[in-house]
């Protein structure tokens, strides 16, 4: 078993999801899964959106995201902070259009 291993099943946005957290080589890892096709999963949609924004805003933006994450801020919250998004960072990131 890895350090700080935790598995939980939660209901988010009306759907049952599985979330696994653990540390390996002192790096925190989180796995998120829904019982639907991967391309329809909330986590996948976030990764696609985050990739688009990283490509659009470049290396300085990426470095700032990494700095915020190193300080303990979750990924979506870091993006929301830099983009001045209000409300739930998970929702506002998916609907962000510049």
């Amino acid at each position: 078993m890895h350090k700080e291993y935790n598995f939980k099943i939660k209901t988010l946005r009306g759907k049952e999801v599985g979330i696994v957290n653990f540390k390996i080589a002192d790096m925190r890892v989180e796995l998120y899964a829904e019982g639907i096709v991967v391309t329809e999963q909330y986590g996948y949609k976030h990764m696609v959106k985050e990739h688009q924004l990283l490509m659009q805003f470049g290396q300085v933006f990426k470095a700032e995201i990494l700095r915020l994450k190193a300080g303990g801020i979750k990924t979506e919250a870091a993006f929301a902070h830099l983009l001045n998004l209000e409300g739930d960072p998970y929702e506002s990131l998916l609907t962000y259009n510049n």
Side-chain angles (χ1 to χ4, degrees), residues 7-80:
F7 172 72
K8 59 188 166 198
I9 296 175
K10 294 174 65 171
T11 301
L12 296 174
R13 295 167 310 282
K15 294 181 183 173
E16 189 174 72
V17 302
I19 302 171
V20 177
N21 293 282
F22 59 92
K23 277 178 85 171
I24 189 166
D26 292 324
M27 182 171 78
R28 293 189 186 282
V29 177
E30 180 173 274
L31 304 173
Y32 168 95
E34 296 178 49
I36 57 175
V37 176
V38 171
T39 55
E40 295 301 315
Q41 291 187 23
Y42 205 63
Y44 176 82
K45 290 178 180 182
H46 273 127
M47 288 180 60
V48 169
K49 184 67 164 192
E50 290 160 5
H51 174 74
Q52 291 170 345
L53 293 168
L54 290 171
M55 294 299 99
Q56 178 181 352
F57 293 116
Q59 289 300 315
V60 172
F61 183 82
K62 180 180 178 180
E64 190 61 15
I65 292 288
L66 292 173
R67 185 188 70 75
L68 290 169
K69 286 178 59 66
I73 296 177
K74 291 218 171 216
T75 303
E76 288 77 6
F79 274 87

Side-chain angles (χ1 to χ4, degrees), residues 76 79-89 92-94 96:
E76 288 77 6
F79 274 87
H81 174 75
L82 291 180
L83 297 170
N84 297 313
L85 302 178
E86 295 182 7
D88 181 336
S92 61
L93 183 60
L94 283 181
Y96 174 77

